[in-house]
Each structure stands twice: as C-alpha cells, then as structure tokens.
Amino acid sequence: MSDGRASRRAGRRLIAAVAALALLAGAADRGRDAWSAWIDATPLPNLSVPTGVEVLARDGSLLRAFAVEDGLWRLAPPRSGVDPQFMAMLIAWEDRRFASHRGVDPRAVLRAAVQAVWNGRAVSGASTLSMQAARLLERGPTKDWRGKIRQARLALALERRIGKDGVLDLYLRLAPYGGNTEGVRAASLMWFGKEPRRLTAAEAALLVALPQSPESRRPDIPARRAAARAARDRVIARAEALGLLTPEAARTAVATPLPTRRHPFPALAPLLADRLRRENPGALSIETTIDPVLQRQAEALAARAVATQGSRMSAALILADHRTGEILAHVGAAAFSDPRAGGFIDMTQALRSPGSTLKPLVYALGFDDGLIHPETLIEDRPAAFGRWQPENFDRRFRGTVTIRQALVESLNIPVVRVAEALGPPRIAAALRRAGAPATTAGGQPGLALVLGGGGVSLEGLVTAYGGLARGGRAVALHARVEPARELAPFVGPVAAWYAGAILAQLPPPGGRAAGRVAYKTGTSYGHRDALAVGYDGRFVAGVWMGRPDGTPVPGAFGGDHAAPLLFDLFDALAARAVPLPPPPGAALTVPNAALPPPLRRFAPPGTLRAPSSAPARSEPLAILFPPDGAEVELTGDRLVVRARGGRGPYTWLIDGRPVAVGVADPTADLPAAPGWGRISVIDADGASTRAGVRLTRPGQG
C-alpha cells in the first residue's frame, strides 16, 4: 500500500518536472525568438561605403585614384583579394574565434568581465572584428557601455545580413590608418607604394597594428616611430606563437625597417584620368587601354624634354595603336603638378596651330584626285593668291621641284598651289572625315589653313596620321575599353601610301636610322607650337611642345624640339615596333618621264600647259557616269565610265592610280573591284574632275 502511494507521488513529481521543463523550454524558445526578433529589428546604417573612383590601366593596375567627397582616401579592396598572410595575422590578433562566433564572442566577453572585476578596471577588450566594423560603420563611441551594446547588437545583425565576408569587406574599407586615410588598400599604397595583394610579414604586421591607434603609431613621424615598431613586433610575436610565421621569418620581420615616409598615390595619365572620370559620372572603376609601362616611359620622356626649356614650357603626347585606335600612352602636360607650366591643361585636346603638319594630308588629297604624283613637277616661285603672298620658312625659293621634294623640304608655295586646286572647303571636309576638324577665323576655311592658319587638336592630328597609316581610313582614338570605330575614308590607299612613303624619307633626328617612321614636323607662326607626328606599321604618335598660354618660345622648332621626343617614343616600343608596309600593287612607282603626260607637271585645273591652237572647249570637263556619291552594281570586273567636255586625250585614274592613259574618246572601260573608290579624269589641258563611288556585286548590300 505504501509502495503504491510512493509510486504515485513519484509519478506526480515526474509529471511536475516534465511540465516545469516544458515551461522552461517554452520560455527559452520565447526568449530565443525575442532575441532573434530584437536582432532582426536592429536599425542598420547605410552599408554602401563610398570609395574613390579608380582609373585602371589595361593590365588592371591603378593609374589614378580619387578621394571620396569628404576628402578621405578610401578605396575598395583589390579584386584579386588581400594578401592571405595579412588576413591570417589580422584574425589572429583581433578576433581568433571570428569563424565560430556570430558577431559577439561570449568567451571574450566573460574573460574581459572577470579581468575587470579582479583588477578593478578594464584590462582587455572583447570587441570582435564584427563589432569593430559596426563601430567604424556608425563612427560610434569606443568607451561608453551604451555604445558597446549598440555595437554588439549591430555586429549580430551584420553577420546575419551580410555574413563573414561582408563584415571583413567593411573592415578592410573602413579601418583607420591615420590622417585622411582609411582602408587597407589605401594604407598599403600610402606606406609601401604598392597594392596589398602581396605583402611581406613586416608590412602585414604593421597594417594589422596601425588601426588600433593610427595617429600615435605613425611611422613617418620620428617621435611616434618607436610606438609603431613595438606594436608591429607584438603582432609578429603573436603570429609566431600561433605558427603563422616560422622563427626565422619572425626574426626577419622584426629586423625590417619601418617605412619613414608616405608615398603619393598613383597618378599616371592624370589629366586623361580626370577627363574620363568627368565623362563617366557614377562609375567607380574605369578601365582604360593605357599601357602602364609605356605611360611611365612617356611621362619621363616628356619631363626630360622640357627640363632645360624654362619653367613655363610644357609638352603633350599621344601614342596609339592605329589598327584599333587604342591610346597606349597619354601625356596632357609634362608637369601635372606645376601650375606655372599650365600643368592642369590637357594640351592633347587644346586647339593649336598645326604648322606644316597638314601638308601630307593636302598632298594625299591631290594624289587621290589625280592632280599630282610624288614625281610631278611643280613651281616653287613667288606667287600671289589674291592678296596673300606666302613665303617659305627660310624665305628662299627652289624653282622647279617635284612634289616629293616639296614635301620633304616642307615648302610652302607648292602646297598652297595644290590646295588652291583642291579648294579650302574640300580640304576642311577631308580633315573632318579624317578625325582632325579644324577651326578657322570666321568659320570659313581659307588657303592659310594648310600652313597652320587654323586650330587642330593634337589628338585630331594623331587620328588623321593614323588614317594615312591605314590606307586613308582613320579609326577614332579612344582610351576606354571599347570596340574600334572606323571613320569614313578621306583618301584612297594608294594616295595614303604615296604620302607615307615620302614622309619616311625625312631624315630622323639624332642620326637614327631612316625609313622606319613616316613623320612630319611643324612650327607655328611666332614659334608658339612645335609639333611632330608620325607612324610605323602599327603605332602612331604625336608630340606638341610649347607654352600653354600661347606665348612665343624663341627658337622652338618642331624638328629640333618635338621630333627627338617623337622618336624617343618609338624607341621605347623596342621589339614591338612594326615596319612600314610595302607599296600597294596599284601604286605607280616610276620616274617623272614615265608618268602619263598630265601628271608630269602640275597645272591648276583649267590651265593650259603650253600654248595651243586647239579650239576652245565648249563646256568644262565633267564625269557623267558614275555621278559623285553613286552606288554602282558591277556585272564583272570592269566599269564603263563616261566624261563630257574637256579635250582629249583623257587619263582616267582610280584612287590616284592611272588605269587608262591617252584615251581619245570620253568613254572608257576601266578595271574595277567592289568597295569605295574615287574616280578621276584629266584632259589634255590638265583640267580634272572626280567622283566618289561605291561599287558592289549583285545581291551585295
């Protein structure tokens, strides 16, 4: 009987215990739910940490970085990651159980509390990396207990929202390193002059130690260097104790000197980088085509070129791949940091007088129209063009010369004669198609344009010369990573090759080997601008030297100042340089005596070459078929053309190449192939006309 009562009492106690446990479990569940809800309800600050705009070279390296709006140097961690050794040291020093806790480390909190009670003061902290990221994100207090609770709650919420990787990313962006520098990447660039992808043990340890007291441990201040060394060495000792460093590696790290100065942030191609940043608002990373090795060489060459020219002298240059239009090196000013030399002005974009650098383009148009050939004779004698009486630069005249000699010696009278025959509007239109639009007084081009009487940018000149290198079809220059964009053809391939072959004969400066670069120099009126532009089989480059304020530079010549810098650029290409191409199959490489009679001596269209008793022409020479701008469908490999007016015999040319000479009848049957082409006809009196056409095959769009 008593046994039964005891059994019932035991059963009731068991039931009561189970009920109590159930109540406790429920309370615990409700507590956990409440705790979880409290964490989920944590108001989060903006997690988007602003970082500076980065302009990158073609290999991904940093060309230039920009501070964020509040003046802080803060950069996103590198895409390839931070040195793993640094990350291991950081976690070992700041938060050894980072991988296992959820934002707050209970063991660290208990240890800190016991030590504080035992010692009557705080001896160690319990702040995790997550709590530090929370404090840095909110710029909260570090001593106030309410702030600590807020940091703990925010740390727990951050780990739920963005995870461990997100927390580390915040810390790597926000950790303070003294002054206006935040984040491990900016710190590595500032203290070591390199990205934090690969760090020595000593460098990694210093970057771990500095954020705890960034101002009092600055190694660039002698009075604070001892504190910086002691803090770094404590990190090294911890890493050795945990097996992250071998004893030998630790000794080497401790013996490594501290950095004693702050490195400037990268500023390669600074003016280009600034322009790209303005043109791409909102972009945090701008990839470019700049080759960092060539860029450094170009900046050094430009600085050296102006070093002995006076404090106000500057230089600008562009080096590009004319096959793609990619700009490989860009120097807008020789001394970016010198306001006296206009270092803030990008002279690759400034409109300046092109001097004589437009002459090859004018002659190429003449070649294309069948007006001239490199061996055509032309007069270099005093001449008046309206009220204008131009002279050669040296005030001498050579008499009868070939077009080749006229261009090699940069004579003025012959090119003005050809320009008059072409017409200034035609030349200005061709320059626009070539990517080198010119500005002129009053907006109306005149003959003076071909001698530098207008404004053209250096980038425009380089684009146009790149077009000559590519057979008369330029590619728009660009520094962003983008597809090549071809411009409309401005001359044919034969005409372009004629011009380049002559330019390749110019003797290079400094006794260099001739024939590898086709180039032309220019000097503007009053010696305000010295220019040189040239190309080889792959690269095109242009150099400007002068004063950005436009004041004269006595004695400055394109040949003496800009040309040596141009060839220094091509020398920097070394094995990458490509020879100039051979003549195209349609090129007429014969002496003057073997030329068709109308091409042997230049005479303006409509001018009689010699006295003649022939009856006057009833109407001017014109091409009836195909008309200018027409699209003609070929039925074979021949094209029938028809002229009107003029006086036979006629000479027909396609893209500057004679294809039918001495044709008595105004109708001719010419060889032709699909594509864009320029058809020209010259009559017996030297009158000429031309038509641009597009030839297609049946069914071809």
Side-chain angles (χ1 to χ4, degrees):
M1 187 81 173
S2 60
D3 291 341
R5 285 196 296 269
S7 177
R8 287 193 293 274
R9 284 197 297 269
R12 286 194 293 270
R13 284 196 296 269
L14 178 59
I15 292 171
V18 170
L21 288 173
L23 290 173
L24 288 173
D29 287 341
R30 288 191 295 274
R32 281 194 299 271
D33 291 343
W35 174 261
S36 182
W38 182 68
I39 294 173
D40 288 339
T42 305
L44 294 178
N46 184 5
L47 299 181
S48 176
V49 177
T51 54
V53 176
E54 303 171 25
V55 181
L56 307 177
R58 65 189 304 119
D59 64 355
S61 62
L62 187 64
L63 288 177
R64 187 180 181 188
F66 294 86
V68 293
E69 290 184 358
D70 52 6
L72 284 171
W73 285 107
R74 185 197 296 135
L75 302 174
R79 296 178 183 177
S80 56
V82 177
D83 190 318
Q85 181 174 244
F86 164 80
M87 297 302 299
M89 284 187 176
L90 174 67
I91 292 172
W93 182 257
E94 293 286 359
D95 191 355
R96 290 174 58 185
R97 286 177 290 277
F98 176 72
S100 59
H101 66 64
R102 297 182 179 181
V104 175
D105 185 354
R107 291 172 59 183
V109 171
L110 180 60
R111 182 204 65 230
V114 170
Q115 290 178 341
V117 171
W118 184 264
N119 293 280
R121 59 184 178 85
V123 174
S124 64
S127 181
T128 62
L129 279 172
S130 305
M131 293 174 65
Q132 292 182 52
R135 175 178 57 81
L136 294 171
L137 192 62
E138 288 195 325
R139 308 286 175 178
T142 58
K143 302 298 184 182
D144 180 75
W145 66 269
R146 296 181 184 86
K148 287 290 185 182
I149 293 175
R150 168 62 186 168
Q151 289 167 23
R153 182 183 183 186
L154 182 55
L156 294 165
L158 286 175
E159 291 224 359
R160 284 193 179 185
R161 181 70 60 86
I162 61 177
K164 298 288 186 183
D165 290 342
V167 166
L168 284 176
D169 184 77
L170 284 176
Y171 181 86
L172 295 177
R173 291 170 186 256
L174 292 169
Y177 282 91
N180 63 339
T181 304
E182 289 186 356
V184 68
R185 187 174 179 203
S188 182
L189 290 166
M190 179 180 69
W191 292 119
F192 313 127
K194 68 178 185 180
E195 296 278 3
R197 290 187 290 265
R198 296 188 65 181
L199 300 168
T200 67
E203 292 168 345
L206 182 62
L207 292 182
V208 169
L210 284 177
Q212 299 169 13
S213 187
E215 290 299 332
S216 64
R217 295 175 179 176
R218 282 183 50 174
D220 61 323
I221 299 177
R224 303 174 187 177
R225 200 168 295 147
R229 176 179 289 277
R232 183 201 67 176
D233 291 352
R234 287 195 296 270
V235 175
I236 294 171
R238 171 75 62 83
E240 180 186 5
L242 295 176
L244 300 177
L245 293 176
T246 65
E248 181 180 0
R251 287 193 298 272
T252 300
V254 168
T256 301
L258 293 171
T260 58
R261 65 182 181 89
R262 296 161 67 112
H263 292 262
F265 283 87
L268 287 174
L271 292 173
L272 173 66
D274 193 43
R275 173 157 57 91
L276 292 176
R277 180 178 65 111
R278 294 194 306 271
E279 292 173 353
N280 297 275
L284 293 179
S285 180
I286 301 173
E287 298 177 347
T288 75
T289 61
I290 296 296
D291 183 312
V293 175
L294 289 175
Q295 180 65 33
R296 289 186 180 89
Q297 290 175 302
E299 292 187 7
L301 289 171
R304 187 180 70 185
V306 304
T308 60
Q309 301 299 321
S311 61
R312 295 164 59 201
M313 192 74 165
S314 188
L317 61 87
I318 292 177
L319 174 66
D321 185 331
H322 59 66
R323 302 174 308 171
T324 63
E326 293 180 346
I327 296 176
L328 304 176
H330 180 286
V331 178
F336 166 64
S337 59
D338 186 358
R340 296 173 301 170
F344 53 89
I345 302 174
D346 185 351
M347 294 305 297
T348 68
Q349 306 297 305
L351 296 177
R352 302 298 286 248
S353 167
S356 296
T357 57
L358 296 184
K359 289 177 180 176
L361 302 170
V362 174
Y363 285 128
L365 290 171
F367 297 144
D368 208 38
D369 284 0
L371 293 176
I372 54 173
H373 179 274
E375 303 306 326
T376 298
L377 298 177
I378 193 168
E379 296 303 313
D380 180 39
R381 303 181 189 279
F385 302 88
R387 297 182 180 180
W388 185 40
Q389 292 182 289
E391 295 180 326
N392 289 323
F393 201 82
D394 59 5
R395 301 180 183 276
R396 295 171 50 235
F397 298 94
R398 275 71 168 177
T400 303
V401 297
T402 63
I403 295 293
R404 183 184 304 278
Q405 181 184 350
L407 180 51
V408 167
E409 298 187 25
S410 197
L411 304 179
N412 289 341
I413 306 303
V415 76
V416 177
R417 292 184 188 276
V418 175
E420 183 184 41
L422 293 167
R426 167 89 194 289
I427 295 170
L431 290 175
R432 286 193 296 272
R433 291 199 306 275
T439 60
T440 54
Q444 295 298 319
L447 289 176
L449 172 63
V450 303
L451 299 185
V456 181
S457 71
L458 180 64
E459 183 172 309
L461 286 175
V462 175
T463 303
Y465 272 67
L468 286 179
R470 300 181 74 252
R473 184 186 287 270
V475 170
L477 297 188
H478 55 91
R480 291 291 308 273
V481 177
E482 60 188 44
R485 180 171 59 87
E486 285 196 348
L487 305 179
F490 60 97
V491 292
V494 172
W497 183 84
Y498 283 154
I502 297 173
L503 297 180
Q505 294 179 335
L506 271 66
R512 294 173 170 91
R516 67 186 182 97
V517 176
Y519 82 106
K520 183 72 181 73
T521 62
T523 305
S524 68
Y525 177 78
H527 301 272
R528 290 172 170 81
D529 308 275
L531 293 145
V533 194
Y535 56 87
D536 68 4
R538 177 180 175 184
F539 302 99
V540 60
V543 169
W544 171 88
M545 292 184 68
R547 291 174 178 164
D549 61 6
T551 54
V553 183
F557 292 93
D560 295 336
H561 291 75
L565 179 51
L566 177 74
F567 275 80
D568 286 342
L569 268 179
F570 278 100
D571 288 344
L573 293 170
R576 286 190 277 183
V578 176
L580 289 164
L588 189 63
T589 55
V590 297
N592 178 271
L595 291 174
L599 285 176
R600 293 176 188 171
R601 180 177 290 274
F602 172 78
T607 301
L608 295 179
R609 296 176 182 272
S612 172
S613 58
R617 290 170 292 175
S618 59
E619 58 182 320
L621 180 66
I623 294 177
L624 287 181
F625 184 84
D628 187 39
E631 183 173 307
V632 180
E633 186 176 284
L634 295 172
T635 57
D637 57 359
R638 310 290 295 183
L639 174 68
V640 176
V641 295
R642 185 175 297 108
R644 179 179 63 191
R647 185 171 67 87
Y650 301 91
T651 297
W652 290 89
L653 305 93
I654 295 181
D655 291 333
R657 174 176 62 93
V659 293
V661 179
V663 181
D665 192 80
T667 299
D669 186 16
L670 309 180
W676 285 99
R678 187 174 300 280
I679 299 172
S680 306
V681 61
I682 309 172
D683 74 356
D685 297 324
S688 68
T689 188
R690 57 197 171 271
V693 299
R694 182 172 183 249
L695 306 178
T696 64
R697 294 289 188 198
Q700 178 182 346

